[in-house]
Amino acid sequence: MKKRLESMNLFQRLLLYFALVMILPLIIVASIIYMQSSNLLEKQTEDYLGQVVTNVNFQTDRFVKNYELVTLPIVSNPNVKHFLDLEENNVYVKEHIRYQYYENIWTMMDNIVIQKPEINRMYILGDNKRQIWLRDKGGSFSEENYNNLKKITPESGKIIIHPSDQNGRITLTIARKIRGMKSFFPNGILGIEINASELGELWKEANLGNEGFFMIADPNGKVIYHPEAKFIGKTLNQVGKEEISKLKQGTFFDKWNNESTFFHFLTSEYTGWKLIAAVPKSQLFAPISGVRLTAIISAVMVIIIAFVLSVNSIRQVVKPIQLLERTMKTVEKGEWKKVPTLPRNDEISSLLRSYNRMVDRLSTLVDQVYKAELSNQQVKIELQERELEKQKVEIQALQSQINPHFLYNTLETMNGYGIINGIEEISKMAGALAGMFRYSVRNLEMVTLADEIEHVKGYLVIHELRIRKPINLILDIDPLLFDAPMVKLSLQPLVENAIQHGYRKAVNEIIITIRTKIIGSCLHVCVIDNGRGIQNDRLNEIREFIKADRKNKPELRSDLGIGVTNVNRRIQLLFGNQYGLDLSSRVNEGTTVSIILPYQNAQSDKNQPA
């Protein structure tokens, strides 16, 4: 979730926050209102059903009491008591006496039926198998029916109402026990049967909706009356039985006919019945459904309006920032671009104005820095030009140190030979000297390797005549490298240094080998002698001197010769400190001095096809 939030842009994030701020409070307020409305509606329904059930209970108790009062003359009538005391098979009882009892009792019953037209039939049944039926000529005594009525009617003579299903029609049997003159124990039953719809007339004033209903249950939760015959005799669920057994009046939710139903019950003080009013939960909360639908529609409209306003507000904040972001990316590319300001006086407008001022200031500073840098570069170029000029003068000075020194020695030798012998070797020496002198005064810094070799050969001609000892020059050079560029006067000082410092008297022949090799992009020109070599301490001293920075170079003993140091310095001045001379030596075996130069033809050689 955190990564997803971090991947959102500013517009999306602000829109999400606005949505949360709008929707969450709306949901919370709507939930609170809905719950309070539900509780209030449930309370109102409970109060309403309580009033209805109380009224129905009053009507039902009055209905039962009325039938108790109506039937009381029959229960206390002596003719009824004597009728119940008649023995079943007493032949001595005169027939006219039985008929007289029957006639009197029938007349009383008929008067009651006239008062109560809802009565379907009325009868008296006795233990002596005597019976009187009214409005049911086909009525006959049923031992099972009689025993069932005796079982459910109380001994106190209180009236009971017992529902039954007769040919698909619900009938209410109003019954009470009666006793004769001879015993305190009841020995008969008075029964009145009416349609259940008559009892429903008592509740027609109550409005329970299309799906609401009333029912009567005994204290054990068994249904003794219901508008639909299929539910008579059924028992409430465990929740309902527990509720009506604990309380005389209350409410509860339970399943009825596979539907969640709200029940309100009241216990009749007169009959002990549980009068129950039931309303399905869907009907109970139908008004809430309308409120909920209205609330949802209103909430959706509010959210849409708030969303449109939020998007507009967020764009007013985000759009200038996005424009500022794009402009800053343009500035990153080196284009000094300003953003248009807004005709507002808020933080965003202040930010844009500050950015424009910053761009103005930065552009001014960059121009100043650029001009200063150009000035610095010009100064650096002038300094470099001066340094190059200085280096050229230094190179020329170094070269001029070599020529007079060698020329002085050569002329001295020529003078000695000319005085003593007057022979033609002097002419050779003079010719060689003239060639060397012409080569040295050429105004060139770079020559070819072949030019340097010829210069060395002229030097050796003169030197052999001086030391009167043969010098064998061995050239181990790739013919393709004769045209390789070389620093002028770089080989001859090394050969001279090898003869002067490496010569051993015990050696009959001086051998100088010039060898070339290419290592990487560098040309190595090696001068190898067979002299006495250099001690390790002295060799390390020379190497440190060669590698040291010019400003911090230590002083080197003069026995090394100015030729080697001059050659190394000229090479570094021309090509850089990574080039120059490298020395290796073994005592009594010889010394190798390598000239390391950039090989300019190395890249072109690599590009040639094999």
Side-chain angles (χ1 to χ4, degrees), residues 26 77 96 236 242 267 307 340 410 446 460 469 498 504 516 591 603:
L26 189 62
N77 188 272
H96 71 278
L236 296 176
E242 291 179 357
T267 304
F307 180 79
T410 303
M446 299 298 297
L460 292 180
K469 192 176 183 72
R504 292 181 297 170
T516 59
T591 302
Q603 187 65 30

Side-chain angles (χ1 to χ4, degrees), residues 1-269:
M1 184 65 179
K2 184 177 180 181
K3 292 183 177 179
R4 186 173 295 178
L5 285 174
E6 291 176 352
S7 63
M8 291 182 177
N9 56 35
L10 181 60
F11 179 84
Q12 294 172 339
R13 194 173 299 178
L14 288 176
L15 189 60
L16 176 62
Y17 293 156
F18 268 81
L20 292 176
V21 169
M22 291 185 298
I23 295 175
L24 285 180
L26 189 62
I27 292 175
I28 293 173
V29 172
S31 300
I32 293 174
I33 293 175
Y34 179 78
M35 288 187 292
Q36 289 182 343
S37 301
S38 299
N39 294 334
L40 182 61
L41 181 62
E42 184 178 338
K43 178 64 178 176
Q44 290 177 346
T45 303
E46 180 180 348
D47 294 341
Y48 172 73
L49 292 181
Q51 294 176 2
V52 172
V53 171
T54 300
N55 184 50
V56 170
N57 178 59
F58 175 78
Q59 297 291 341
T60 304
D61 286 351
R62 189 175 67 174
F63 176 82
V64 175
K65 287 179 181 179
N66 189 24
Y67 268 93
E68 280 190 342
L69 293 174
V70 168
T71 58
L72 185 60
I74 297 177
V75 174
S76 59
N77 188 272
N79 292 326
V80 175
K81 293 181 178 292
H82 288 300
F83 180 77
L84 294 176
D85 288 338
L86 290 175
E87 296 181 3
E88 183 179 356
N89 296 317
N90 189 347
V91 295
Y92 300 103
V93 177
K94 295 182 180 180
E95 184 67 28
H96 71 278
I97 295 176
R98 289 200 306 269
Y99 179 77
Q100 184 178 355
Y101 290 156
Y102 181 86
E103 185 67 21
N104 291 334
I105 295 170
W106 194 91
T107 301
M108 292 177 64
M109 294 170 63
D110 187 57
N111 291 332
I112 293 174
V113 170
I114 291 173
Q115 298 176 20
K116 300 289 184 181
E118 68 270 14
I119 296 176
N120 290 334
R121 63 180 179 177
M122 188 174 181
Y123 53 85
I124 296 176
L125 304 176
D127 291 347
N128 57 5
K129 305 294 178 68
R130 306 282 182 182
Q131 51 186 309
I132 299 176
W133 294 84
L134 183 66
R135 287 193 177 180
D136 190 1
K137 297 180 179 180
S140 60
F141 180 78
S142 171
E143 187 73 24
E144 181 180 358
N145 187 32
Y146 180 69
N147 291 332
N148 184 44
L149 289 176
K150 284 186 65 176
K151 185 184 298 184
I152 63 177
T153 52
E155 296 292 330
S156 62
K158 267 187 139 182
I159 197 169
I160 62 101
I161 299 178
H162 176 66
S164 61
D165 186 3
Q166 296 182 4
N167 299 324
R169 186 177 63 181
I170 300 175
T171 301
L172 297 178
T173 301
I174 301 173
R176 62 187 302 180
K177 286 182 178 179
I178 54 178
R179 58 175 58 87
M181 301 291 291
K182 297 180 178 180
S183 172
F184 288 103
F185 297 101
N187 58 353
I189 295 291
L190 171 63
I192 299 174
E193 294 182 0
I194 63 175
N195 291 331
S197 59
E198 298 296 333
L199 190 59
E201 289 292 322
L202 299 175
W203 301 341
K204 65 181 179 179
E205 299 283 335
N207 181 17
L208 297 179
N210 297 328
E211 300 180 4
F213 59 89
F214 279 104
M215 65 180 180
I216 300 175
D218 62 16
N220 296 322
K222 184 178 180 181
V223 178
I224 59 177
Y225 169 75
H226 193 281
E228 297 184 32
K230 64 180 180 179
F231 294 111
I232 295 177
K234 289 191 175 183
T235 305
L236 296 176
N237 294 333
Q238 187 64 29
V239 175
K241 289 194 295 183
E242 291 179 357
E243 291 292 330
I244 65 174
S245 63
K246 290 188 299 183
L247 303 173
K248 290 185 178 181
Q249 183 177 0
T251 59
F252 61 91
F253 278 97
D254 197 8
K255 287 285 186 180
W256 181 263
N257 197 22
N258 296 324
E259 185 177 4
S260 181
T261 305
F262 178 76
F263 293 91
H264 184 92
F265 67 92
L266 176 68
T267 304
S268 173
E269 296 290 344

